[in-house]
Amino acid sequence: MVPVEAPYDDRLLHQRVVGGDESALGEVYDRLSSLIFGLALRVTRDRVIAEDITQEVFLVFWERPLAYDPERGTLRAWLATIAHRRAVDHVRAEERRRVSALGPRLFEREPARLEDTVLAADEAQRVRQAVISLPQGLREAVELAYFGGRTYRQVGEELGVPEGTAKSRIRLALRRLADALAEEEV
């Protein structure tokens, strides 16, 4: 990858922040805080957390301005990357906290009845057979999307077809599966 140099403004502001110029930090904040806040808000969906992350990002820049390398890209991209990482870290930590709070309760369920287990296995086998019976193009698309966790765009890329075609294949595959399974009363 070819390095992208930062614009002259970024370099100048960076040099001023390195020199301890608080007004330079204020200029960077005025110019980029709405971007950083918006990015953090989109990821966390929490205004208070997004505000905290915005403050943290600018604090990182103030405390360690030499961590930013103008030779590698823009200040905007660097700060946005920090914000995104912090926001994702926050969301993951929240999820871990939620799961650990549920911890013991996850294992308190009563064991599945043998009858339910057999019925579920039978239904799973019927679904597998219905998927296998699909034409190859439809089967590949639905397997990538639902079993592989891919987006329409990723399915299209992997199959070498336009995104719209990938969407159509997935929808048609799901419609055929629904019809086939309805006939079998699954």
Side-chain angles (χ1 to χ4, degrees):
M1 180 158 69
V2 177
V4 177
E5 284 191 22
Y8 180 73
D9 270 3
D10 283 358
R11 289 175 176 277
L12 199 59
L13 282 171
H14 178 242
Q15 288 171 355
R16 288 174 51 204
V17 170
V18 168
D21 184 350
E22 290 181 26
S23 66
L25 180 65
E27 289 176 44
V28 173
Y29 184 87
D30 290 343
R31 194 170 78 185
L32 299 174
S33 63
S34 61
L35 166 79
I36 302 304
F37 174 77
L39 181 67
L41 182 60
R42 265 193 312 276
V43 174
T44 63
R45 295 187 173 140
D46 184 317
R47 291 188 72 76
V48 174
I49 300 300
E51 289 170 358
D52 289 347
I53 289 171
T54 302
Q55 283 185 334
E56 286 176 30
V57 166
F58 287 99
L59 185 62
V60 165
F61 182 48
W62 178 249
E63 290 179 342
R64 295 184 318 206
L66 294 175
Y68 167 63
D69 181 1
E71 298 296 319
R72 296 186 64 197
T74 65
L75 184 57
R76 171 190 177 101
W78 185 71
L79 292 173
T81 300
I82 294 171
H84 185 260
R85 287 179 180 162
R86 297 270 169 128
V88 168
D89 288 347
H90 173 79
V91 169
R92 287 178 179 158
E94 274 299 304
E95 184 61 27
R96 281 192 302 272
R97 187 191 61 72
R98 232 180 279 123
V99 168
S100 71
L102 291 174
R105 285 182 264 163
L106 289 176
F107 302 103
E108 289 176 4
R109 289 188 221 141
E110 63 184 68
R113 295 185 341 206
L114 180 59
E115 178 183 324
D116 294 338
T117 304
V118 170
L119 287 174
D122 182 51
E123 285 181 2
Q125 181 58 33
R126 289 181 186 183
V127 170
R128 276 193 291 281
Q129 283 304 119
V131 170
I132 290 169
S133 70
L134 290 171
Q136 182 180 352
L138 300 181
R139 185 179 66 248
E140 289 173 338
V142 81
E143 285 175 343
L144 286 171
Y146 287 92
F147 302 114
R150 309 293 199 298
T151 64
Y152 292 123
R153 180 173 292 142
Q154 292 168 331
V155 170
E157 287 173 2
E158 289 192 35
L159 296 180
V161 299
E163 184 178 340
T165 302
K167 265 187 192 179
S168 297
R169 287 183 183 178
I170 293 168
R171 286 183 182 153
L172 182 57
L174 291 176
R175 193 173 313 122
R176 286 192 180 179
L177 286 172
D179 292 344
L181 294 172
E183 288 176 13
E184 293 188 31
E185 298 178 5
V186 175

